[in-house]
Amino acid sequence: MRIVITGGAGFIGSNLARTLSEHPEITQIRVIDNLSTGSKENLLGLDVHFIEGDIQDAALLDQAFHGADAIVHLAALPSVPRSVKDPLASHHANATGTLQVLEAARRAGNLHVIAASSSSVYGANPRLLKHEDLTTAPMSPYAVTKLATEAYLGAYHHSYGLPVLPFRFFNVYGPGQRADHPYAAVIPKWISATLTGQPVTVHGDGTQARDFTYVGTACRVLKDALLRRVVEPRPVNLAFGTRLALLDLIPAIEAATGFRARREHIATRVGDVLHSQADGTRLRALFPTAEPVPIREGLMATVDWLGTSIAGAHRQRVH
Ligand code: NAD
């Protein structure tokens, strides 16, 4: 099988490339990435064909998709605050970019397209558990672009018979997720702060809850979806309904790092969702053998990776 990963130099994409490269049925992995948030370093040591460029470049997509069997479309500008600051940039990369990917998949002969939507589409809808049939209520431009992503996949299935599978990812974390940029996600940011003696900054009172998914869990589901060519035009939550309040994440990080965290509360963030917890029924029906890596185990692996990368960065500064 020949697989193209858009955004494959990013956090989830590079983990997926590693997972797929270990499978004998996957004979070629191509990555298309414009390196806007990703890095070639993430792919070091992996046998992937790297194409540097933008998913809004139709000719480049034709070249990348030629002879492929499936696309995992992960390329996007992935942050809520980034989209609040620059909504057009998020729209171009995430919504227009998805449309370009779907058009190229159609031109290439109805390739299987798996794509990343996000739990942020539930937005202001307060109901828990988050079942896929709940009314969506995006609170940020980012969430709108992800709603467009999954809606375009559904529309391409119905209009052109494209075999698609839109996943709603919920707070994916793990090795490879960087802490050293302004839009870093909460787990790498807090682990890094705890390891370096900086305060852990909590937006609001910290009672907001998230359904954290270990990246290895997400990649195993993506691999299974590719190998079994799972097609489902309706969005599918890629999470298992494990709910953790941010305040409870702090002791979990203390246990994984072996350091005490210093807590500091700051203002709530515009566009942030209050609580997030998936209903995993649709996921389990499609992927009955999928099992999540427990948070304790996932945090340990993340601490190992971040500890090594922080030590590496420190060595570079000293020399
Ligand atoms: P990431 O930023 O690490 O990866 C995104 C990759 O896409 C980067 O390598 C970036 O350089 C590339 N990219 C961005 N715009 C591009 C463009 N126009 N053309 C080509 N490449 C482009 O983010 P991630 O956390 O790995 O997220 C992957 C996907 O999963 C994204 O679509 C994101 O919206 C979605 N998602 C992630 C999470 C999460 O918790 N990490 C949650 C929900 C949804």
Side-chain angles (χ1 to χ4, degrees), residues 58-242:
L60 196 71
L61 288 182
D62 284 342
Q63 181 201 325
F65 290 8
H66 180 73
D69 297 292
I71 316 296
V72 184
H73 171 44
L74 303 174
L77 291 176
S79 142
V80 166
R82 186 199 296 268
S83 78
V84 171
K85 195 156 178 233
D86 189 351
L88 272 174
S90 293
H91 182 88
H92 292 319
N94 304 2
T96 310
T98 296
L99 195 52
Q100 291 283 12
V101 165
L102 290 169
E103 275 297 275
R106 193 159 77 89
R107 285 194 298 272
N110 274 10
L111 301 183
H112 186 206
V113 179
I114 299 172
S117 177
S118 154
S119 59
S120 63
V121 301
Y122 296 112
N125 187 330
R127 288 197 40 200
L128 288 175
L129 305 168
K130 302 296 186 195
H131 183 271
E132 292 90 341
D133 293 337
L134 286 182
T135 305
T136 52
M139 291 169 71
S140 64
Y142 170 74
V144 175
T145 67
K146 288 288 142 178
L147 195 54
T149 296
E150 60 179 53
Y152 270 133
L153 258 72
Y156 268 62
H157 179 80
H158 295 295
S159 303
Y160 310 111
L162 199 72
V164 298
L165 178 59
F167 277 119
R168 287 180 181 165
F169 291 178
F170 281 62
N171 292 77
V172 185
Y173 73 97
Q177 192 173 33
R178 287 174 42 207
D180 57 349
H181 63 92
Y183 301 114
V186 61
I187 286 187
K189 210 159 62 180
W190 285 7
I191 290 177
S192 169
T194 307
L195 288 175
T196 56
Q198 303 299 311
V200 158
T201 48
V202 183
H203 289 276
D205 65 4
T207 56
Q208 61 271 43
R210 295 288 179 264
D211 198 335
F212 292 106
T213 313
Y214 185 62
V215 68
T217 306
C219 288
R220 274 205 295 275
V221 171
L222 290 168
K223 181 180 78 176
D224 191 24
L226 286 166
L227 293 173
R228 292 194 293 114
R229 203 176 165 85
V230 176
V231 173
E232 169 58 74
R234 299 172 303 169
V236 180
N237 290 335
L238 208 174
F240 293 81
T242 43

Side-chain angles (χ1 to χ4, degrees), residues 7 10-12 33-34 36-38 54-55 74 76 78 117 142 146 172:
F11 158 52
I12 300 173
D33 200 300
N34 68 357
S36 54
T37 61
D54 201 291
I55 52 164
L74 303 174
S117 177
Y142 170 74
K146 288 288 142 178
V172 185

Side-chain angles (χ1 to χ4, degrees), residues 263-307:
R263 201 165 89 199
E264 208 173 79
H265 287 264
I266 56 174
T268 51
R269 264 192 335 197
V270 177
D272 254 0
V273 168
L274 189 56
H275 297 304
S276 187
Q277 182 181 15
D279 181 320
T281 312
R282 191 172 289 171
L283 180 79
R284 288 186 188 280
L286 290 168
F287 301 93
T289 59
E291 275 308 325
V293 169
I295 184 96
R296 237 169 52 92
E297 223 174 280
L299 285 178
M300 294 294 285
T302 312
V303 168
D304 278 353
W305 182 81
L306 270 167

Side-chain angles (χ1 to χ4, degrees), residues 46-65:
L46 290 177
D47 183 16
V48 299
H49 178 64
F50 181 74
I51 303 164
E52 184 169 346
D54 201 291
I55 52 164
Q56 291 174 78
D57 180 341
L60 196 71
L61 288 182
D62 284 342
Q63 181 201 325
F65 290 8

Side-chain angles (χ1 to χ4, degrees), residues 6-36:
T6 74
F11 158 52
I12 300 173
S14 58
N15 273 284
L16 179 64
R18 186 157 291 108
T19 302
L20 296 183
S21 65
E22 286 156 7
H23 199 281
E25 267 183 60
I26 313 269
T27 51
Q28 195 190 42
I29 301 167
R30 297 175 202 163
V31 162
I32 176 163
D33 200 300
N34 68 357
L35 303 179
S36 54

